[in-house]
């Protein structure tokens, strides 16, 4: 593109668009334009003074002189980029506000909060529901833990937001236990599969136990604590060794161990120490917890009688080794959660408030979260995610930010799932699996911000399919737009997410704001602003550095925008309205009515592209292609992909729409066969693949999926400059000259039903990158394709084989190579499966040679030119740092495969992505003597096997005790009932009565062990046992000698 003098009257600086556009020349390695890292407070004060001396506005030369005076210098190319970044008003004059705003944006990009912001809601997956198999509602639910929620502070590490799988196994996740009022216990697996059931019996404690808690360490160095809270406000703590287990040892032949509480208090139970806190609360204890790290007990109670306690009730009491803290809360506390890693206690009670406390400050809460309309019945915290979950009496779940104290989500699906008559619902949070278990008459599992399974995926870039991916050469960022109406700015060199904009396109429907999918996007010529188009026909211009909408536009109501083009002073948008809409981009005239180009298309426009300074091409669903003059907006050629050699007049007729839709797919290839006989052009390569013509879809029109203009090809009828992708998997090549036409076509896929959805090329148009509906990325060498013979250059195949491992020879011809073996041009240099779903957009970064693709599987992935996998934007795994000035990829190291692709990858995909080719093993002929020896060994082994297995079986073959049943003399006919849709076969089968099996007698040794007393296994405890002592120091009782008590007890046992 030629340069344009866009400066104001006070500036004579000429900025060339070619500096930033895709046709620019490759620049050498430059320094970054991070001005906020190099400027100091003193330098900023001097610059402010000089800005005032220039009346607050400076041009390009003045700003550079000012920066050099404060010892901040850049090269010419880097300074031009810096000036364009600061000049947000596009008037090529910079004022003080623009300069300071650029510095602020630089610091905002380094804000870590943008990295932690989630793309999806904490609860985004549907709940899992199953029956409880209890006769009545579940009154209690607990978890049989394998791993403790508590750990010593010196062993606490930062919890990653990803897992390697296997967390849901019974060895890691434990078992669920549910209980109902009829006394039945049921044990469940982590996936809520029933395991077994049991029956509980009444307790002999002075007061009924209302709540329990169990605290232990995985290493077992500290005594485990079992805390009991009863109806009288008492709290009892049982301490025992996790190794010796005290009374909880598994006893052969006895499934239930009974212990009398009076014996526990008197110390008669070995290795079990009890401690009581009598009347800790005046009301029943609602929740208890023991912190091993703080060596403190937490107990809460509800105080609903406000007249009696007058609001001074100790809702939560923390009892330490030598002190006691009261957290006074009106109406008391129903539930609480202690996050030891954050030193935070979260409480909830009947007053509908959620309070966040510092553990060591009980005078007042750190924050009060309001929003519930009922009493709080459950709270829990995810410290690694900084989230607080609270559930109220009306079954509404709210998720809060632990640091910002803001509401993130309100989840109300439980109101729909659980009947309104069920009020006594039990909740339990599994911190290891991040699941909330809800128990009543149903068992409901809710995933709460689950971890990413890195053994299945590397993570997602968006919360919905990625529709557009772009690379900004000015800011060196990747911008992704998705069907979730998000715009996200990424730093591909560090893998960081810099800016996220949510709810970009919205629409009010019945009083509710609905997100509209983003379907098209592009940058302005200087790449300072972003233009997006949505499914409802709306267009928006964004200053995406500060997430501000600069301008709103629309082509037509409820008409999807499929393509947008931004050229100098004009914006072109096209979509389902079947015409091109032109918006003015000149300052002062941008809010006028848009100009509608002539309507020559008879169907919806699916794609479009532009050749800077020359023309525009648009294509439709029915296969129409029209070339337009960019300056005047007038069409000059029209083609149909089903008959591209036929001259079509640029005039619509009444029967044209019907005639277009009746066209057959087979006409596409029959016309090419006739074209081959009529033309004598040597550079046309027409291929008629057998798989392209199928019985299905013959009566449907051939639609155009993507178009691409080659910017370096001249407007000559002998040069192919436009690539048209069809839904049959074929790419047609045209010349956009007035007297040009179709120059060739080639098959771009290797699977039936696949087609190319997106295309891009490098700056010099040497390679064509295509993304298909089946998730494949293919790279084509198009330097010599459809150009005059005199302009063709010599291709260095050894160099291509070094860059593309796909070209290296293999033991057998793979499927991708078999599809193009009869297709000499263009040369397929790489092919691999990059995504499991369709690739919607693909782009290429020239200097580091990086391909990045956006797919329908919610991800945007980066690849080297040769096909090595670099990473997924938004991944939770560590990022391999890249450089915008150096070529990506190191051939010496091994590359890994995406986990989802690894499960379905072919041999070609494995070779291309990993960069490792399997060695070909060539079998050499063995000498004659070795072959004769092998034959003799095989003959001897065969004779031994024959002697072993060829012997006849001895009679009786079926044994001495088996007899074949005799046949009945009466013929038995089975008449099937065929009047119904199915035949109940079981009604015709005879069922014989079964005999009761004889019960085997119990072995004497089992009966002897069952009748033993538990206390006989231990010696009397002498002295006092310190509950704070280490469990490892407690010795096991010595074994009794055979000559002692055991001998005297033998006669009595006999």
């Amino acid at each position: 593109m030629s340069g344009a003098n866009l400066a104001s009257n006070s500036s004579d600086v000429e900025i060339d668009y070619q500096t930033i556009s895709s046709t620019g020349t490759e620049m050498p390695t430059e320094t970054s334009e991070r001005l906020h890292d190099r400027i100091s407070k003193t330098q900023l004060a001097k610059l402010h003074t000089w800005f005032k001396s220039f009346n607050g506005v400076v041009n390009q030369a003045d700003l550079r002189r000012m920066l050099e005076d404060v010892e901040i210098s850049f090269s010419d190319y880097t300074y031009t980029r810096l000036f364009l970044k600061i000049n947000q008003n596009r008037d090529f004059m910079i004022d003080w506000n623009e300069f300071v705003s650029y510095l602020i944006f630089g610091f905002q990009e380094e804000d870590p909060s943008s990295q932690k912001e989630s793309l999806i809601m904490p609860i985004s997956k549907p709940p899992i529901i199953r029956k409880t198999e209890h006769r009545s509602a579940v009154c209690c639910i607990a978890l049989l833990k394998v791993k403790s929620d508590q750990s010593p502070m010196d062993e606490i590490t930062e919890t990653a937001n990803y897992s390697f799988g296997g967390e849901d196994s019974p060895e890691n996740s434990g078992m669920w236990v549910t209980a109902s009022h009829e006394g039945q216990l049921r044990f469940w697996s982590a996936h809520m599969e029933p395991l077994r059931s049991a029956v509980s019996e009444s307790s002999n404690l002075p007061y009924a136990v209302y709540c329990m808690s169990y605290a232990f360490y995985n290493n077992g160095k500290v005594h485990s604590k079992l805390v009991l809270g009863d109806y009288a406000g008492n709290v009892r703590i049982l301490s025992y060794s996790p190794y010796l287990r005290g009374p909880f040892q598994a006893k052969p032949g006895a499934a239930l161990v009974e212990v009398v509480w009076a014996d526990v208090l008197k110390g008669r139970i070995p290795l079990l120490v009890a401690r009581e806190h009598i009347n800790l609360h005046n009301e029943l204890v609602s929740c208890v917890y023991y912190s091993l790290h703080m060596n403190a007990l937490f107990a809460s109670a509800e105080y609903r009688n406000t007249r009696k306690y007058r609001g001074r009730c100790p809702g939560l009491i923390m009892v330490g080794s030598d002190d006691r803290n009261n957290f006074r809360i009106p109406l008391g506390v129903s539930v609480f959660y202690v996050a030891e890693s954050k030193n935070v206690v979260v409480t909830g009670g009947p007053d509908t408030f959620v309070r966040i406390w510092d553990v060591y400050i009980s005078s007042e809460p750190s924050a009060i979260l309001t929003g519930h309309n009922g009493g709080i019945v459950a709270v829990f915290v995810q410290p690694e995610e900084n989230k607080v979950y609270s559930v109220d009496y009306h079954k509404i779940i709210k998720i809060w930010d632990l640091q910002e104290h803001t509401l993130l989500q309100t989840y109300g699906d439980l109101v729909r799932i659980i009947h309104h008559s069920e009020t006594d619902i039990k909740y339990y949070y599994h911190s290891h699996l991040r699941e909330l278990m809800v128990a009543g008459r149903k068992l409901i599992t809710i995933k709460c911000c689950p971890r990413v399974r890195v053994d299945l995926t590397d993570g997602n870039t968006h919360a919905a399919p990625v529709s557009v991916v772009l690379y900004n050469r000015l800011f060196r960022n990747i911008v992704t737009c998705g069907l979730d109406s998000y715009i996200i700015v990424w730093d591909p060199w560090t893998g960081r997410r810099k800016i996220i904009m949510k709810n970009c396109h919205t629409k009010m429907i019945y009083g509710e704001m609905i997100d509209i999918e983003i379907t098209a996007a592009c940058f302005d010529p200087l790449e300072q602003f972003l233009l997006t188009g949505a499914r409802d026909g709306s267009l928006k211009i964004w200053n995406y550095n500060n997430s501000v909408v600069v301008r709103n536009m629309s082509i037509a109501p409820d008409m999807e925008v499929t393509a947008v083009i931004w050229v100098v002073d004009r914006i072109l948008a096209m979509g389902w309205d079947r015409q091109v809409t032109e918006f003015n981009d000149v300052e002062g005239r941008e809010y006028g009515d848009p100009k509608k180009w002539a309507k020559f298309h008879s169907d919806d426009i699916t794609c479009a592209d532009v050749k800077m300074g020359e023309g525009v091409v648009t294509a439709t669903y029915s296969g129409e292609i029209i070339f337009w003059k960019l300056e005047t907006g007038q069409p000059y050629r029209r083609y149909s992909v089903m008959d591209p050699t036929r001259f079509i007049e640029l005039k619509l007729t009444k029967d044209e729409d019907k005639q277009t839709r009746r066209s057959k797919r087979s006409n596409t290839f029959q016309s090419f066969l006739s074209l081959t006989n009529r033309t004598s052009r040597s550079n046309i390569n027409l291929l008629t693949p057998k798989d392209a013509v199928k019985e299905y879809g013959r009566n449907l029109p051939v639609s155009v999926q993507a178009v691409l203009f080659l910017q370096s090809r001249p407007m000559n009828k002998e040069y192919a400059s436009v690539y048209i992708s069809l839904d049959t998997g074929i790419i047609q090549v045209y010349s956009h000259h007035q007297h040009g036409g179709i120059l060739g076509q080639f098959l771009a896929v290797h699977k039936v039903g696949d087609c190319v959805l997106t295309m891009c090329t490098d700056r010099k148009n040497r390679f064509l990158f295509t993304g298909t509906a089946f998730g494949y990325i293919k790279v084509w060498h198009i330097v010599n394709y459809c150009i005059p013979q005199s302009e063709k250059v010599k291709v260095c195949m050894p160099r291509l084989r070094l860059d593309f491992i796909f070209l290296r020879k293999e033991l057998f011809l793979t499927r991708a190579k078999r599809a193009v073996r009869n297709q000499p041009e263009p040369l397929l240099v790489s092919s691999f499966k990059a995504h499991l779903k369709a690739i919607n957009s693909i782009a290429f970064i020239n200097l580091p040679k990086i391909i990045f693709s956006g797919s329908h599987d919610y991800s945007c992935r980066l690849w080297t030119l040769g096909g090595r996998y670099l990473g997924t934007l938004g991944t939770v795994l560590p990022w391999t740092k890249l450089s915008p000035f150096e070529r990506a990829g190191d051939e010496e190291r091994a590359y890994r495969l995406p986990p989802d692709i690894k499960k379905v990858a072919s041999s070609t995909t494995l070779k291309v992505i990993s960069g490792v080719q399997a060695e070909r093993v060539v079998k050499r002929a063995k000498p004659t003597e070795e072959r004769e020896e092998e034959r003799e060994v095989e003959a001897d082994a065969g004779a031994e096997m024959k002697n072993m297995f060829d012997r006849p079986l001895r009679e009786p073959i079926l044994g001495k005790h088996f007899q074949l049943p005799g046949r009945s003399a009466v013929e038995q006919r089975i008449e099937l009932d065929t009047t119904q849709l199915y035949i109940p076969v079981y009604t015709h089968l005879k069922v014989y009565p079964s005999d009761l099996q004889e019960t085997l007698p119990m072995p004497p040794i089992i009966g002897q062990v069952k009748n033993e007393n538990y206390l006989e296994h231990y010696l009397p405890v002498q002295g006092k046992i310190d509950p704070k002592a280490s469990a490892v120091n407690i010795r096991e009782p010595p074994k009794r000698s055979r000559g002692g008590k055991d001998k005297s007890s033998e006669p009595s046992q006999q």
Side-chain angles (χ1 to χ4, degrees):
M1 185 190 301
S2 60
N5 189 0
L6 299 180
S8 61
N9 296 331
S10 60
S11 175
D12 298 331
V13 180
E14 184 172 313
I15 301 296
D16 191 358
Y17 282 96
Q18 195 176 14
T19 305
I20 308 301
S21 67
S22 58
T23 58
T25 57
E26 187 172 302
M27 295 297 174
T29 301
E30 298 286 344
T31 58
S32 176
E33 308 89 17
R34 299 171 61 87
L35 186 60
H36 64 281
D37 289 342
R38 304 179 58 180
I39 196 168
S40 64
K41 186 176 180 180
T42 305
Q43 294 171 333
L44 188 62
K46 291 182 180 179
L47 291 175
H48 189 204
T49 305
W50 288 334
F51 263 97
K52 290 182 180 179
S53 63
F54 284 94
N55 296 326
V57 179
V58 297
N59 58 18
Q60 183 181 6
D62 294 337
L63 179 62
R64 182 168 189 175
R65 197 178 307 110
M66 291 164 53
L67 292 176
E68 291 177 350
D69 290 342
V70 295
E71 299 180 354
I72 299 177
S73 59
F74 298 98
S75 63
D76 295 341
Y77 175 69
T78 306
Y79 177 74
T80 302
R81 297 174 58 90
L82 175 64
F83 183 82
L84 293 176
K85 288 182 179 182
I86 301 176
N87 181 30
Q88 295 296 322
N89 295 333
R90 296 190 295 172
D91 56 355
F92 290 89
M93 298 293 292
I94 294 179
D95 57 15
W96 177 249
N97 291 334
E98 286 181 321
F99 185 78
V100 174
S101 298
Y102 175 74
L103 298 179
I104 295 175
F105 294 154
F107 289 108
Q108 286 180 351
E109 289 179 357
E110 300 176 355
D111 186 8
S113 61
S114 61
Q115 291 289 102
K116 299 181 180 179
E117 186 176 359
S118 177
L119 295 176
I120 59 178
M121 293 296 181
I123 302 179
S124 57
K125 296 184 178 181
I128 302 174
I129 308 172
R130 66 157 301 132
K131 295 181 180 180
T132 61
E133 300 187 8
H134 286 274
R135 289 193 294 270
S136 60
V138 174
C139 64
C140 182
I141 182 171
L143 178 66
L144 182 59
K145 298 180 181 179
V146 178
K147 294 183 178 180
S148 175
D149 296 336
Q150 303 186 37
S151 58
M153 298 305 293
D154 54 350
E155 298 181 6
I156 292 180
T157 58
E158 185 177 355
T159 305
N161 194 23
Y162 58 87
S163 63
F164 295 94
E167 285 79 2
D168 52 355
S169 62
E171 295 80 8
N172 295 324
S173 58
M175 293 188 297
W176 292 102
V177 184
T178 57
S180 55
H181 286 291
E182 69 269 13
Q184 187 182 31
L185 298 176
R186 287 193 174 273
F187 296 85
W188 310 79
S189 66
H191 299 285
M192 296 310 298
E193 297 294 335
L195 299 177
R196 62 189 180 93
S197 61
V199 178
S200 64
E201 297 181 0
S202 60
S203 174
N204 56 8
L205 290 175
Y207 296 95
V209 175
Y210 183 79
C211 58
M212 292 188 295
S213 177
Y214 179 55
F216 69 100
Y217 279 164
N218 294 327
N219 54 19
K221 295 181 179 180
V222 180
H223 276 75
S224 300
K225 310 289 183 181
L226 178 61
V227 188
L228 311 174
D230 59 20
Y231 275 82
N234 306 320
V235 178
R236 298 175 174 87
I237 304 175
L238 300 179
S239 177
Y240 58 91
S241 167
Y243 287 120
L244 303 181
R245 300 183 182 179
F248 301 101
Q249 291 187 18
K251 183 179 179 182
L256 180 65
V257 177
E258 294 184 0
V259 177
V260 181
W261 178 250
D263 295 339
V264 175
L265 292 178
K266 295 178 181 179
R268 295 179 180 178
I269 307 300
L271 306 180
L272 183 64
V273 180
R275 183 180 179 183
E276 287 186 314
H277 296 273
I278 304 300
N279 296 330
L280 188 64
H281 283 281
N282 296 329
E283 301 290 339
L284 66 89
V285 179
S286 60
C287 188
V288 291
Y289 178 81
Y290 195 92
S291 173
L292 296 176
H293 166 64
M294 294 182 288
N295 194 20
L297 168 68
F298 294 83
S300 65
E302 296 182 6
Y303 294 85
R304 295 180 179 269
N305 192 345
T306 56
R307 292 184 180 181
K308 180 179 179 181
Y309 301 103
R310 297 183 179 180
R312 299 298 298 171
C313 51
L316 177 64
I317 298 178
M318 174 183 172
V319 181
S321 57
D322 53 357
D323 60 346
R324 171 173 169 173
N325 294 332
N326 294 337
F327 297 82
R328 301 189 179 275
I329 302 170
L331 301 181
V333 175
S334 302
V335 289
F336 66 89
Y337 191 92
V338 181
E340 299 179 4
S341 60
K342 299 287 186 179
N343 289 330
V344 164
V345 179
V346 181
T347 62
D351 59 352
T352 72
F353 295 154
V354 178
R355 293 174 172 84
I356 301 176
W357 305 77
D358 191 296
V359 175
Y360 304 104
I361 302 176
S362 59
S363 57
E364 60 179 358
S366 303
I368 300 178
L369 308 178
T370 61
H372 283 285
N373 295 324
I376 309 300
V377 296
V379 293
F380 59 91
V381 181
Q382 289 180 341
E384 61 275 5
E385 297 290 339
N386 287 322
K387 291 181 176 60
V388 178
Y389 294 74
S390 58
V391 189
D392 62 16
Y393 181 79
H394 301 297
K395 312 175 193 66
I396 300 296
I397 304 176
K398 289 184 179 293
I399 299 96
W400 316 81
D401 189 277
L402 183 59
Q403 294 180 345
E404 302 294 334
H405 306 151
T406 56
L407 180 63
L408 301 177
Q409 182 186 4
T410 299
Y411 183 80
D413 285 5
L414 291 180
V415 180
R416 173 182 54 85
I417 298 173
I418 303 175
H419 195 265
H420 62 86
S421 62
E422 295 186 54
T423 56
D424 191 11
I425 307 298
K426 302 301 178 183
Y427 303 88
Y428 195 99
Y429 174 64
H430 196 315
S431 59
H432 190 61
L433 296 182
R434 294 190 179 181
E435 293 179 352
L436 175 64
M437 184 63 63
V438 183
R441 294 191 178 274
K442 301 176 183 177
L443 291 178
I444 305 171
T445 305
I446 301 175
K447 294 283 187 179
C448 300
C449 198
R451 295 183 178 90
V452 179
R453 289 281 302 274
V454 295
D455 59 326
L456 302 178
T457 178
D458 276 357
N460 295 332
T461 306
H462 278 257
V466 181
S467 56
V468 184
V469 294
L470 300 170
Y471 178 69
N472 189 290
R473 298 170 181 82
L474 178 61
F475 294 94
R476 295 194 181 99
N477 294 330
I478 289 179
V479 178
T480 60
C481 305
L483 300 185
D484 51 2
S485 193
Y486 288 2
I487 299 175
I488 307 178
V489 182
W490 304 87
D491 184 2
W493 322 118
T494 60
R496 293 177 58 253
R497 185 175 64 199
K498 303 175 69 174
I499 301 173
I500 175 173
M501 293 178 280
K502 298 182 179 181
N503 312 113
C504 296
H505 287 261
T506 57
K507 185 177 182 181
M508 181 73 71
I509 301 178
Y510 299 114
E512 183 181 2
M513 296 299 296
I514 304 297
D515 293 336
I516 306 300
E517 300 90 340
I518 299 176
T519 55
C522 71
F523 291 114
D524 68 311
L526 292 180
E527 301 193 6
Q528 295 174 300
F529 293 87
L530 176 68
L531 171 65
T532 59
R535 186 153 289 174
D536 63 342
S538 61
L539 295 151
K540 290 187 178 182
I541 298 178
W542 300 84
N543 183 351
Y544 62 91
N545 288 306
N546 53 8
S547 307
V548 174
V549 180
V550 179
R551 182 180 173 187
N552 289 290
M553 301 170 289
S554 178
I555 57 172
D558 298 326
M559 293 291 181
E560 179 179 330
V561 179
T562 56
V564 289
I565 298 172
W566 196 336
V567 296
V568 180
D569 298 338
R570 287 186 297 170
I571 295 175
L572 307 179
M574 51 286 289
W576 287 1
D577 58 347
R578 305 184 180 184
Q579 61 184 141
V580 181
T581 305
E582 179 182 329
F583 298 90
N584 206 328
D585 191 39
V586 179
E587 184 178 358
R589 291 183 292 173
E590 61 267 24
Y591 295 104
D593 294 335
K595 173 185 175 182
K596 296 286 186 178
W597 288 14
K599 192 173 183 179
F600 285 92
H601 283 295
S602 60
D603 209 337
D604 300 340
I605 299 176
T606 57
C607 49
D609 201 5
V610 63
K611 175 70 179 297
M612 294 299 180
E614 294 183 4
V616 178
V617 57
T618 57
T620 66
Y621 177 79
S622 59
E624 296 175 345
I625 304 172
I626 295 181
F627 290 93
W628 311 76
K629 290 289 186 179
L630 180 59
E631 299 299 329
T632 61
Q634 297 297 322
Y636 64 90
R637 283 305 300 266
R638 183 179 182 183
Y639 300 95
S640 174
V641 297
M642 289 168 284
D643 191 5
T645 59
R646 181 169 62 95
F647 176 79
I648 303 177
E649 186 180 0
L650 286 167
K651 181 179 179 182
L652 288 177
T653 60
K654 295 181 180 180
D655 298 332
E656 184 173 5
D657 190 17
K658 297 180 180 179
Q659 182 180 359
T660 305
R661 295 183 179 274
R662 290 175 183 174
S663 300
K664 309 276 187 184
R665 286 175 176 260
S666 58
N667 294 342
T668 307
F669 313 106
Q670 293 175 1
S671 61
F672 283 122
L673 293 177
S674 60
L675 176 65
T676 307
N677 299 328
R678 294 197 309 264
T679 183
S680 59
R681 296 178 181 178
S682 59
N683 58 352
I684 295 182
N685 176 28
L686 300 178
L687 181 64
T688 308
K690 296 180 181 180
D691 295 336
V693 182
K694 293 292 180 182
E695 293 296 330
Y696 63 91
R698 274 181 171 270
N699 296 325
L700 296 177
V702 178
S703 63
V704 179
Q705 299 294 328
V707 298
L708 178 66
F709 246 120
L710 301 185
Q711 303 294 329
S712 64
R713 297 284 177 93
M715 191 174 182
N716 191 307
K717 62 180 181 179
E718 295 183 355
Y719 284 85
S721 56
V722 180
Y723 283 68
I724 308 293
S725 169
L726 311 182
D727 62 353
T728 57
I730 292 177
I731 293 181
Q732 294 181 348
V733 183
Y734 292 80
S735 171
H736 69 289
H737 192 266
Q738 293 87 344
H739 300 289
I742 184 169
L743 300 181
Q745 72 168 1
F746 61 93
L747 183 65
V749 296
H750 63 271
K751 281 190 175 182
V752 178
D754 198 4
C755 63
V756 175
L757 298 182
T758 176
M759 297 183 292
C760 74
T761 182
D762 60 332
R763 180 177 53 250
K764 297 182 179 180
N765 301 142
R766 293 172 295 183
F767 298 101
L768 174 69
F769 308 97
T770 61
T772 70
F774 287 179
Y776 285 91
I777 291 180
K778 292 179 178 289
V779 183
W780 307 83
H781 192 258
I782 58 172
V783 172
N784 296 329
Y785 186 60
C786 292
I787 63 174
Q789 189 67 30
S790 59
E791 298 294 332
K792 292 186 177 181
V793 297
K794 186 178 180 181
V795 179
C796 181
M797 290 303 298
R799 173 67 183 274
L800 289 178
R801 291 190 185 98
L802 290 176
D803 293 339
F804 301 97
I805 194 174
F806 175 82
L807 294 175
R808 301 175 190 177
K809 293 184 179 181
E810 295 174 317
L811 193 60
F812 58 90
L813 203 61
T814 58
R815 181 171 49 184
K817 293 182 179 179
R818 288 198 303 268
V820 297
R821 56 185 169 185
N822 297 325
Q823 185 173 286
E825 287 186 352
L827 176 64
L828 179 62
V829 296
S830 184
S831 175
F832 59 94
K833 191 173 183 63
H835 297 270
L836 291 182
K837 295 185 179 180
I839 299 177
N840 298 325
S841 182
I842 191 171
F844 182 71
I845 308 177
N846 288 283
L847 191 57
K849 300 291 188 298
I850 294 177
I851 308 170
F852 59 100
S853 56
S855 171
H856 212 74
D857 61 0
Y858 304 3
S859 65
C860 176
R861 290 175 174 169
L862 275 66
W863 315 84
T864 65
L865 182 62
R868 312 296 182 271
Y869 175 59
L870 297 176
T872 300
L873 294 178
T875 181
V876 295
L877 298 177
W879 187 265
T880 301
K881 288 190 176 182
L882 306 172
S883 172
F885 311 111
E886 299 177 0
R887 181 166 181 171
D890 185 5
E891 298 298 334
E892 296 181 357
R893 72 180 183 90
Y895 287 83
R896 69 183 189 91
L897 279 75
D900 52 346
I901 299 298
K902 188 176 182 180
K903 299 178 182 298
V904 299
S906 62
S907 60
T908 303
T909 301
L910 293 173
K911 181 181 75 171
V912 173
I913 298 181
S914 63
V916 178
Q917 186 173 10
E919 297 181 358
R920 293 184 294 175
V921 180
V922 180
K923 294 185 178 181
R924 298 180 180 179
K926 296 182 179 180
T928 307
E929 298 179 355
E930 294 183 4
R931 283 183 290 177
E932 291 180 356
E933 292 179 359
E934 291 181 357
R935 290 175 185 175
E936 293 178 359
V937 173
E938 292 177 357
D940 295 341
E944 292 180 2
M945 297 295 289
K946 187 175 182 180
N947 295 333
M948 182 182 301
F949 294 104
D950 286 359
R951 294 177 182 177
L953 297 176
R954 297 179 181 180
E955 294 290 342
I957 298 176
L958 299 179
K960 299 179 180 180
H961 304 283
F962 179 79
Q963 294 180 359
L964 294 174
R967 292 188 177 182
S968 176
V970 182
E971 184 179 0
Q972 297 180 0
R973 290 190 177 183
I974 299 178
E975 296 181 0
L976 301 179
D977 185 7
T978 60
T979 59
Q980 300 180 1
L981 297 177
Y982 63 95
I983 300 176
V985 180
Y986 61 89
T987 60
H988 304 282
L989 301 177
K990 291 184 179 182
V991 180
Y992 296 94
S994 58
D995 297 333
L996 295 176
Q997 294 183 355
E998 182 181 359
T999 305
L1000 298 176
M1002 181 182 294
I1005 186 64
I1006 298 297
Q1008 179 183 353
V1009 173
K1010 185 176 181 180
N1011 296 327
E1012 287 181 355
N1013 189 5
Y1014 166 73
L1015 298 178
E1016 293 181 358
H1017 291 274
Y1018 299 94
L1019 292 175
V1021 179
Q1022 304 206 355
K1024 295 184 179 180
I1025 298 178
D1026 186 8
K1028 300 180 183 180
S1030 176
V1032 183
N1033 297 330
I1034 299 178
R1035 297 181 180 179
E1036 198 172 354
K1039 298 182 180 180
R1040 300 173 183 176
S1041 61
R1042 295 184 179 181
K1045 185 178 179 180
D1046 292 343
K1047 290 185 178 181
S1048 60
S1049 62
E1050 289 179 0
S1052 62
Q1053 294 178 0
Q1054 293 177 356

